Amino acid sequence: MITVSKEDYLKAIAEAEGEGETVISATLAHWLAVTRPAVTAALKRLKKDGMVAVKSDGRIQLTSMGRQIAERTIFRHLLIERMLAEIFGMPWYEIHEEAERLEHAVSPAFEKKLVEKLGEKDTCPHGNSLALRSPAERRKQGLCLLSEAEPGFPYRVASVYERDRKLLDFFEHEGIRPGTPLTVQTRNYDGTVSLAIERKTIRLGAPAAEKIWVAKLR
Ligand SMILES: [Zn+2]
């Protein structure tokens, strides 16, 4: 049994918001894979603690205190992922889940040590950065989804969606990692894209291609 903590709720609200979703209790039930009654109970506690506000239309918003805790947890998640990858050499596709557990145990003193050891960097080993969280912010930086990339042009994988372990295992198996150069050969009628990666060609379905942000190489 995984216990979903207060921090997980606050983080999920901030992250779902960041991805442009309207956050209602169904969003959280889906996002955290918990039941609706569990969300209702958690929201009640979070409201009492002054962490969230629930609008009359059901929209959930973080208070400034709630946002502070969410941002702290997101930052610690990034630090733990970097620690696991950079110090312990753990594979990039395994670290997210580990960080989900460890992020809650980081004290301010340990956080400081991690920053000293790892150096300042705002990007995690999946290519996701604190500054570019929403699709709009990513597009402003010239990124696009792999499913929208122009055939014939060289791209580089900028980031991948990290909350789905099976998807990450699949990407690793296909040789798709943050930083990987690739070219879209054709966008196919069946919604798949044919990609040239290193010396092989693979066909990727839309559900996977929509989980990868790419940057055009020039
Ligand atoms: Zn990450």
Side-chain angles (χ1 to χ4, degrees):
M1 244 305 266
I2 298 164
T3 17
V4 178
S5 72
K6 215 188 261 185
E7 286 171 347
D8 289 317
Y9 275 96
L10 298 173
K11 196 174 74 153
I13 297 167
E15 289 181 335
E17 245 179 23
E19 289 191 10
E21 286 195 46
T22 309
V23 187
I24 54 171
S25 71
T27 322
L28 294 176
H30 173 73
W31 199 274
L32 295 164
V34 293
T35 62
R36 292 290 288 277
V39 174
T40 308
L43 285 176
K44 214 166 138 188
R45 281 200 311 275
L46 290 168
K47 239 164 53 181
K48 207 178 87 210
D49 294 346
M51 304 282 182
V52 302
V54 183
K55 303 270 147 198
S56 55
D57 62 358
R59 264 184 316 127
I60 300 158
Q61 287 176 331
L62 294 169
T63 62
S64 66
M65 204 193 344
R67 187 167 304 280
Q68 232 175 52
I69 293 172
E71 293 300 327
R72 182 98 276 145
T73 312
I74 291 168
F75 181 58
R76 287 175 177 173
H77 180 94
L78 180 139
L79 286 174
I80 294 289
E81 281 193 348
R82 288 189 60 206
M83 174 189 84
L84 294 170
E86 295 173 29
I87 299 176
F88 296 103
M90 205 167 173
W92 70 280
Y93 50 90
E94 283 180 9
I95 55 179
H96 173 80
E97 286 157 305
E98 207 72 54
E100 284 292 282
R101 289 188 288 272
L102 293 174
E103 66 194 19
H104 307 294
V106 178
S107 69
F110 184 40
E111 180 185 317
K112 199 163 155 255
K113 283 281 166 210
L114 284 172
V115 174
E116 276 170 25
K117 183 96 184 164
L118 297 164
E120 310 259 356
K121 186 171 129 193
D122 134 286
T123 313
C124 81
H126 304 98
N128 293 312
S129 89
L130 297 180
L132 297 185
R133 243 178 282 165
S134 73
E137 283 160 336
R138 289 174 197 239
R139 288 184 199 284
K140 235 189 278 164
Q141 290 303 307
L143 304 180
C144 71
L145 291 171
L146 177 57
S147 52
E148 306 157 348
E150 271 182 84
F153 288 90
Y155 286 87
R156 171 182 65 76
V157 175
S159 67
V160 300
Y161 179 83
E162 65 182 71
R163 275 189 298 275
D164 182 343
R165 177 57 196 277
K166 282 193 186 134
L167 181 72
L168 296 184
D169 287 346
F170 169 74
F171 286 156
E172 171 65 17
H173 180 259
E174 298 295 342
I176 300 171
R177 300 174 197 103
T180 302
L182 50 79
T183 309
V184 174
Q185 294 180 320
T186 50
R187 289 225 292 260
N188 308 310
Y189 189 75
D190 63 359
T192 62
V193 287
S194 298
L195 301 176
I197 301 178
E198 282 154 5
R199 253 170 240 117
K200 59 174 188 170
T201 304
I202 60 166
R203 241 172 127 106
L204 208 62
E210 285 164 3
K211 295 281 197 268
I212 300 171
W213 287 92
V214 292
K216 211 174 203 169
L217 297 172
R218 43 192 99 221

